[in-house]
Amino acid sequence: MPHLPSHSSPLTCSSTLFITLILVCSQPNRSAAAAAAANATGRHRQMSLDYYTKSCPQVEQLVASVTSQRFKEVPVSGPATIRLFFHDCFVEGCDASILISSKPGSKELAEKDAIENKDLRVEGFETIAKAKSLVENRCPGVVSCADILAIAARDFVHLSGGPYYQVKKGRWDGRISMATRVPPNIPRANSTIDQLLKLFNSKGLTLEDMVVLSGAHTIGFAHCEQFLSRLYDYNGMKQPDPMLDPKLLKALRMSCPHYGGNKDIVAPFDVTTPFLFDHTYYANLEARLGLLASDQALFADPRTRPVVQDLAKDKQKFFQAFGAAMEKMGLIGVKRGRKHGERRRDCSFHE
Ligand code: HEM
């Protein structure tokens, strides 16, 4: 059993501390799925790899100069941005609506202020703001925030050791950002496989896509509250989750007490290689080292287990499938044209 290495023991959220530590250390619901896929395909046709060839040919290099610097200086920007992209795409589509700030004094909060998004790290938002400002300097009013987010997420996957895949561009930024639209569209740490499948299928993603995309949990961290019930009171039984490895249970309990713990403490998803984008996530699930109940459920459920076992064996297969699934996720609900969208100069505010 892989041991919890000292540098991957639970950490606190402070960025400075992170830097120091990092240095040392079913069938789809047919109608919904078909509609989502058709939607994506229609607009997908208008998206292309060379969308900005004339208007901003250096956009990918500009974004890359920011992502590579952030990767070195603030490594948590990687997982933060990848998760930000996921949360953007699942609510209103990949349209950068997650980046909009709530209007001061308004009763209606924006997406980013929904409870489900409260743990999205600021480092992801900062990375996109920096990239956008560099791009705006060179090509004012041309490149959408949504495309910058898609490119930056891809860059971080690759910088962390994961696959490089192409990002089609041409997304416009959405105008709708409402906190109330978040809860039904973002999965929870204790979601069942049935609930997860229903949600992913409703976005036009398959069971395989879901297991593959969950492999993003090969990097990054989760707060104690996301898995606390697994440590002490699983399903109200006053017992730990029997599907959690006893040594990992002990290590996690030391950092995450049942009551009164520090709310900022986080634990790595992948206890063996927490900073490397690899396929160890799946072998960890086989070894009962999944951090969230929803991670471990992918191995427990007979529908998803074969996919987990397959990916655990074959890194190349995972990389190829992950790139393809990210491309597919990146096309969910894309907005095209002035009727549906805008191009924001500052990603956090409507024009
Ligand atoms: C399958 C359903 C999923 C569930 C239930 C889920 C849930 C979670 C939770 C609870 C956290 C920890 C948040 C915190 O405590 O700060 C998290 C983190 C993360 N998730 Fe997911 N997630 C899912 C799928 C995905 C997908 C599809 C992606 C990307 C493709 C993704 C990428 C990430 C990343 C990179 C982190 C680490 C963030 C960081 O360290 O800042 N997740 N997820």
Side-chain angles (χ1 to χ4, degrees):
M1 115 98 200
H3 295 287
L4 189 69
S6 56
H7 64 270
S8 70
S9 54
L11 310 168
T12 78
C13 261
S14 116
S15 298
T16 358
L17 182 55
F18 265 125
I19 296 162
T20 320
L21 284 160
I22 284 163
L23 287 175
V24 295
C25 53
S26 87
Q27 277 297 305
N29 163 340
R30 285 197 168 272
S31 52
N39 232 336
T41 326
R43 298 192 188 121
H44 167 123
R45 264 190 239 114
Q46 300 158 325
M47 306 219 350
S48 67
L49 296 177
D50 54 7
Y51 187 81
Y52 295 112
T53 299
K54 291 209 175 95
S55 55
C56 192
Q58 68 281 49
V59 60
E60 302 234 2
Q61 288 96 303
L62 293 170
V63 176
S65 68
V66 173
T67 47
S68 57
Q69 191 186 6
R70 295 283 287 176
F71 185 72
K72 276 192 231 119
E73 293 174 1
V74 196
V76 291
S77 305
T81 306
I82 296 167
R83 185 168 186 233
L84 190 61
F85 182 52
F86 164 52
H87 282 219
D88 183 39
C89 291
F90 266 51
V91 184
E92 303 289 343
C94 310
D95 66 350
S97 51
I98 187 91
L99 303 177
I100 295 176
S101 298
S102 297
K103 285 204 182 81
S106 163
K107 270 198 212 134
E108 177 71 67
L109 294 176
E111 272 174 42
K112 72 183 281 196
D113 291 322
I115 293 169
E116 291 73 13
N117 285 333
K118 74 177 175 5
D119 285 334
L120 289 173
R121 279 176 210 285
V122 64
E123 289 85 351
F125 294 93
E126 284 168 1
T127 302
I128 304 307
K130 279 185 195 304
K132 175 66 171 173
S133 123
L134 189 64
V135 171
E136 279 300 304
N137 269 336
R138 298 285 179 87
C139 324
V142 170
V143 182
S144 66
C145 300
D147 278 342
I148 291 179
L149 180 53
I151 298 169
R154 185 277 315 278
D155 285 359
F156 281 123
V157 168
H158 191 227
L159 285 163
S160 314
Y164 185 87
Y165 54 90
Q166 300 283 352
V167 173
K168 283 192 175 157
K169 292 157 291 277
R171 298 167 187 80
W172 285 53
D173 298 330
R175 293 199 192 90
I176 298 169
S177 179
M178 293 161 68
T180 48
R181 304 230 174 145
V182 176
N185 289 298
I186 292 297
R188 290 164 206 278
N190 61 358
S191 294
T192 63
I193 293 293
D194 280 337
Q195 291 167 333
L196 292 176
L197 276 175
K198 202 169 159 210
L199 176 60
F200 277 69
N201 288 170
S202 75
K203 309 289 174 193
L205 297 169
T206 63
L207 175 150
E208 284 78 16
D209 293 331
M210 183 179 95
V211 179
V212 165
L213 287 169
S214 299
H217 288 176
T218 175
I219 56 170
F221 303 84
H223 290 79
C224 295
E225 64 166 342
Q226 300 291 353
F227 51 86
L228 206 64
S229 65
R230 295 190 76 202
L231 310 184
Y232 300 99
D233 189 14
Y234 189 62
N235 282 346
M237 304 294 281
K238 309 264 181 259
Q239 293 290 325
D241 183 349
M243 289 308 290
L244 184 58
D245 171 86
K247 283 191 186 135
L248 180 59
L249 171 68
K250 205 172 155 196
L252 291 173
R253 277 182 161 183
M254 277 162 64
S255 309
C256 304
H258 198 177
Y259 302 106
N262 178 343
K263 284 195 178 338
D264 292 338
I265 298 279
V266 294
F269 271 105
D270 180 342
V271 291
T272 51
T273 53
F275 305 110
L276 183 66
F277 197 104
D278 59 9
H279 68 318
T280 321
Y281 169 78
Y282 299 102
N284 287 343
L285 297 186
E286 294 180 320
R288 295 198 286 165
L289 296 171
L291 188 59
L292 306 181
S294 56
D295 292 316
Q296 200 54 54
L298 296 175
F299 184 66
D301 193 289
R303 290 166 292 179
T304 44
R305 182 188 300 160
V307 188
V308 169
Q309 289 169 325
D310 214 28
L311 298 170
K313 279 199 289 269
D314 193 340
K315 181 171 163 183
Q316 281 322 310
K317 190 168 187 177
F318 168 54
F319 276 17
Q320 192 280 328
F322 188 81
M326 285 293 274
E327 286 184 58
K328 200 168 164 187
M329 186 176 91
L331 296 176
I332 296 174
V334 292
K335 313 274 182 305
R336 297 278 310 154
R338 222 165 283 287
K339 196 170 156 206
H340 304 284
E342 61 185 3
R343 286 201 183 102
R344 292 196 289 280
R345 279 167 204 267
D346 178 336
C347 295
S348 54
F349 294 105
H350 281 301
E351 296 291 283

